[in-house]
Amino acid sequence: MREFAPITRHDNGWIQARVPLPFALRWVNAYLLPGESGWTLIDPGLRSPVTEAFWEARLPELGIGWRDVCAIVLTHHHPDHYGLSGWLQERTGAPVYMSETARHYAMRMWGEEERRSPLFSEALVEAFRDHGLPEPLIEGLRGHISGVFGQVLPHPADVRPLPPPGETFRMAGAEWELIGGEGHAPSHIAFYDPARGVALCGDQVLPDITPNIGWMPDSDPDPLGSYLSSLRAMLPLGGVFAYPGHRDPFADLAGRAAALLEHHDRRLLRMLELIEEAGALTAFELCERLFGARLRGNPHNLRFAMAETIAHLVRLELSGAAKRWIGPGPEGRDVVRFSKAAVICGA
Ligand SMILES: [Zn+2]
């Protein structure tokens, strides 16, 4: 029988289940919170035969029946958090709660319309091509994007909107303040319980690793700027104990948010240096300088590294440090390049 990562029962009665992932993050944390009317399940994982086997084995071991799960709550729409929610709803009958925007993106990216006519994924592929992604890598990217459908279907049928950020939401016997976050995923929601000084922070703040900054066409035009603003808004929270979507729970949510702010400042400076050294770079060229050419063999990582790089370049452009221009690329088509903006003395 397959060995799964251990379950952790925390002192507050919460259960941290490390749901396996088929990529470098290794697992996503699902949390089971006890309450008067049953268990609330936060972020159940992406769908695969392995994760189905995981829950089929884990819940009985924990003494929890399918029908003991009374709510499925999602921090954001990414497949590794959202993907199993429909499958679990079929078994538990529990409603799925997520932000309206998260629901919108789940349907935009993996809804029936997109399945019939892949408008979203083609727009993403085209945008990456404009940013210098070489032609031989395009098919791999397309295959990666279409492969996600199998990780997120079926969609949950009974979906209920979470209140907007700033309002409260009752779950698992507590009144939670909803903290909105942008930049990693549109309308990401973190849950903060001021009475106990704890937060379920999803992927907005992670220990040890930096959350990916998501860039998508026709979406937030400045996701890194939005992400940094979301982090700054968390600083007054102080030393809240945080339960993240990946890795393990950690003390001092605000301290980690401050460290992430510094990380992105350093990365913006490093990118500007690399652009200046080269004279001009496409997002793809910069991406390879930052993350290495081995990305070419891994469409999943390539996709997220490209999004991360474009998000930083857009931020540099909006801050006035870099400028974009369009010129001929190595494959005979025009591409978007970025150069360091000239400093105008006395301006
Ligand atoms: Zn995520």
Side-chain angles (χ1 to χ4, degrees):
M1 194 167 145
R2 192 191 162 91
E3 287 274 321
F4 292 117
I7 293 265
T8 302
R9 283 181 186 271
H10 292 282
D11 291 344
N12 58 6
W14 295 5
I15 293 167
Q16 177 190 358
R18 297 173 180 83
V19 188
L21 289 176
F23 35 80
L25 281 171
R26 295 200 355 253
W27 80 78
V28 60
N29 289 317
Y31 295 100
L32 284 151
L33 281 51
E36 309 97 38
S37 41
W39 292 87
T40 297
L41 173 50
I42 314 283
D43 289 347
L46 64 68
R47 186 171 181 200
S48 75
V50 174
T51 57
E52 289 174 20
F54 175 88
W55 285 113
E56 280 164 351
R58 282 309 196 201
L59 282 185
E61 280 168 28
L62 291 163
I64 299 174
W66 294 117
R67 294 275 156 185
D68 297 332
V69 176
C70 64
I72 298 165
V73 179
L74 307 177
T75 56
H76 61 300
H77 76 280
H78 286 167
D80 50 335
H81 299 252
Y82 168 84
L84 260 182
S85 59
W87 182 88
L88 269 161
Q89 184 170 78
E90 286 176 348
R91 280 148 189 82
T92 60
V96 168
Y97 293 88
M98 64 197 296
S99 76
E100 288 202 50
T101 306
R103 168 75 165 167
H104 165 80
Y105 275 93
M107 299 319 290
R108 183 180 166 203
M109 294 170 79
W110 314 299
E112 196 43 45
E113 266 178 58
E114 176 70 14
R115 204 176 178 43
R116 279 200 301 270
S117 167
L119 285 177
F120 173 82
S121 66
E122 278 310 302
L124 186 68
V125 166
E126 274 310 309
F128 282 4
R129 182 188 262 139
D130 289 345
H131 281 287
L133 189 71
E135 213 57 44
L137 301 183
I138 300 264
E139 268 321 296
L141 181 65
R142 274 206 185 94
H144 163 71
I145 295 172
S146 62
V148 176
F149 277 93
Q151 300 172 340
V152 298
L153 297 178
H155 291 291
D158 179 2
V159 178
R160 304 183 189 180
L162 285 169
E167 295 196 7
T168 58
F169 178 65
R170 187 158 185 85
M171 69 175 177
E175 207 64 46
W176 298 80
E177 286 179 16
L178 269 53
I179 301 175
E182 300 295 336
H184 175 70
S187 290
H188 182 292
I189 297 289
F191 300 84
Y192 170 48
D193 176 2
R196 287 181 288 184
V198 297
L200 290 150
C201 60
D203 287 358
Q204 194 67 22
V205 178
L206 297 172
D208 311 324
I209 51 174
T210 57
N212 179 251
I213 308 301
W215 179 91
M216 296 179 280
D218 306 320
S219 190
D220 185 342
D222 181 18
L224 178 59
S226 305
Y227 182 68
L228 299 177
S229 300
S230 301
L231 290 182
R232 281 187 211 106
M234 282 183 160
L235 296 178
L237 288 178
V240 165
F241 195 83
Y243 293 81
H246 303 279
R247 305 297 170 104
D248 284 310
F250 61 99
D252 196 6
L253 180 63
R256 181 62 189 148
L260 289 168
L261 283 164
E262 285 171 22
H263 161 84
H264 286 290
D265 275 350
R266 285 194 302 274
R267 174 149 284 177
L268 285 166
L269 282 175
R270 178 70 189 131
M271 287 192 176
L272 205 52
E273 280 171 12
L274 288 168
I275 293 170
E276 194 175 17
E277 272 168 35
L281 289 174
T282 65
F284 176 73
E285 288 163 347
L286 180 56
C287 187
E288 282 213 308
R289 279 170 170 74
L290 280 168
F291 301 107
R294 67 178 189 282
L295 278 179
R296 287 179 182 239
N298 186 329
H300 175 91
N301 288 354
L302 175 65
R303 173 183 177 180
F304 292 103
M306 276 293 284
E308 176 98 16
T309 306
I310 295 171
H312 282 77
L313 285 168
V314 167
R315 180 89 290 277
L316 285 171
E317 183 189 18
L318 292 171
S319 72
K323 63 177 188 328
R324 84 166 65 196
W325 50 280
I326 296 189
E331 294 174 326
R333 58 186 159 82
D334 283 352
V335 288
V336 180
R337 293 185 183 285
F338 291 84
S339 300
K340 191 174 178 191
V343 177
I344 302 165
C345 294

